[in-house]
Amino acid sequence: MKQGKKTFLNVCGLLGVLSLLSYTAAVVFSPLAYPGYDWLSQAVSDLSAANAPSLSLWNRLSAIYNVCEVLCVMMVCVGVQGRKTKLLRVGIYLFAAMEWVSAVGYRMFPLSDSGYAGTGQDFMHILTTVLVVALSITSLTVIIIAGIRSKECRSYGICAAVALLMMLVGAMGLNLVPSAYFGVVERFSVFAATGFNAALGLHLFFEKLA
């Protein structure tokens, strides 16, 4: 990453950091409005369930997250046009597609109740999750390969590898740890994509575009 005069596009990369901070605030403080919520055993999505007492607070705290995550990754897509390698660009475009599916899908189909109540809305929530996971793994894998093949993409690949490792820790942990600690390992997965979005934003911020 090269430093130089910052353009408007560079500064837009900081939207990824704002998105991460907003999401973190929602995850940390929303339980205050959810009596009996146990972050050790419950999923983050329980906080934004349609009937969750914390839904209103969650929506306020995550408002910046919902807007900035998509804006950031789209600005990154603009920033990499004609730059780096084609493989890296494809990986970033796939990650952007994942962010759109996540932003739209989870807003349209929040869980109807904590856990899984088996409604059509819950089914669509799970389907959204499957698509998000599939696109996340595919995009991160492509970016990792791009980093291995090209030195100029190495830092992207390292960040993608960390994000993918976090997702794998979360996925494997769900089957390895007691249910009483489900929420702990699940948070590795939910923060992986948001954290990588912030990493992409920082790459854009420090990239020499002018």
Side-chain angles (χ1 to χ4, degrees):
M1 294 182 289
K2 301 177 182 180
Q3 294 190 37
K5 182 179 178 181
K6 300 303 179 207
T7 66
F8 173 74
L9 191 58
N10 285 128
V11 176
C12 284
L14 296 179
L15 292 172
V17 178
L18 289 177
S19 174
L20 176 60
L21 291 175
S22 175
Y23 186 75
T24 301
V27 172
V28 172
F29 295 110
S30 292
L32 297 177
Y34 192 132
Y37 181 84
D38 179 15
W39 72 271
L40 291 175
S41 62
Q42 289 185 256
V44 170
S45 55
D46 287 356
L47 295 169
S48 59
N51 66 345
S54 56
L55 179 59
S56 178
L57 179 58
W58 173 275
N59 286 338
R60 290 198 297 271
L61 293 175
S62 65
I64 295 177
Y65 157 71
N66 289 324
V67 174
C68 290
E69 65 167 346
V70 174
L71 283 177
C72 176
V73 76
M74 294 310 295
M75 291 301 181
V76 172
C77 288
V78 173
V80 298
Q81 284 185 356
R83 300 174 183 274
K84 308 303 180 182
T85 66
K86 181 178 180 180
L87 191 61
L88 178 69
R89 293 196 298 272
V90 169
I92 291 176
Y93 297 156
L94 286 172
F95 187 80
M98 181 280 295
E99 291 284 22
W100 275 100
V101 171
S102 174
V104 176
Y106 288 131
R107 295 290 287 181
M108 290 183 66
F109 307 109
L111 286 175
S112 62
D113 198 358
S114 297
Y116 180 74
T119 67
Q121 181 171 310
D122 294 322
F123 173 78
M124 292 304 297
H125 182 92
I126 297 301
L127 179 59
T128 297
T129 299
V130 171
L131 291 174
V132 166
V133 171
L135 285 169
S136 295
I137 293 176
T138 302
S139 62
L140 292 174
T141 300
V142 171
I143 294 171
I144 291 170
I145 295 173
I148 293 173
R149 291 185 176 180
S150 173
K151 185 177 180 180
E152 67 172 344
C153 302
R154 194 66 45 80
S155 59
Y156 288 88
I158 292 173
C159 291
V162 172
L164 184 58
L165 179 62
M166 289 178 65
M167 288 185 179
L168 294 177
V169 168
M172 293 186 296
L174 297 180
N175 298 316
L176 295 176
V177 304
S179 58
Y181 298 101
F182 169 88
V184 177
V185 293
E186 190 252 0
R187 277 160 173 75
F188 278 93
S189 295
V190 299
F191 273 100
T194 308
F196 184 66
N197 185 293
L200 287 178
L202 288 174
H203 274 82
L204 178 61
F205 179 74
F206 288 111
E207 189 65 45
K208 185 177 180 181
L209 301 174

